[in-house]
Amino acid sequence: MAQVILGDDEGIESALRRFKRKVVQAGIFSDMKKHRYFETPAEKLKRKAIAKHRQKRWSRNRSNRNNNKD
C-alpha cells in the first residue's frame, strides 16, 4: 500500500504528487486496470501472445537498426 506522510510545511499538492508517483512505481494503477474486468483464459493467452509478438518485433527492429549503423 502506498503511503505518504505530510511534512511540516508541505502543501497538499506536493504530497499528492508524491503519492501519485508512489502509486505508479508500485504498479497499483496498472494492476487495477488489469483486474477491472474478468478475462477468460483464452483472452489471457491471446493478450500474452500479442505482447510476445510485439516484443519480438521490437527487438528484431532494434537489432536491425544497430546492424545497419555500420
Side-chain angles (χ1 to χ4, degrees), residues 22-65:
K22 281 191 176 187
V23 167
V24 169
Q25 286 175 348
I28 296 171
F29 222 59
S30 61
D31 191 47
M32 181 186 68
K33 285 182 177 182
K34 186 170 61 176
H35 288 97
R36 186 174 289 171
Y37 300 105
F38 178 74
E39 187 177 31
T40 64
E43 290 171 338
K44 192 179 288 189
L45 282 173
K46 185 177 180 181
R47 178 177 50 83
K48 287 184 178 185
I50 290 170
K52 186 177 180 180
H53 176 71
R54 189 178 297 138
Q55 178 66 32
K56 192 183 229 183
R57 189 174 62 198
W58 182 83
S59 64
R60 186 175 56 225
N61 285 342
R62 184 131 173 114
S63 67
N64 284 342
R65 238 183 277 145

Side-chain angles (χ1 to χ4, degrees), residues 6-22:
L6 217 60
D8 291 336
D9 293 331
E10 185 178 21
I12 191 74
E13 292 84 14
S14 62
L16 189 60
R17 264 186 266 128
R18 282 194 305 132
F19 177 73
K20 286 181 182 179
R21 194 175 321 128
K22 281 191 176 187

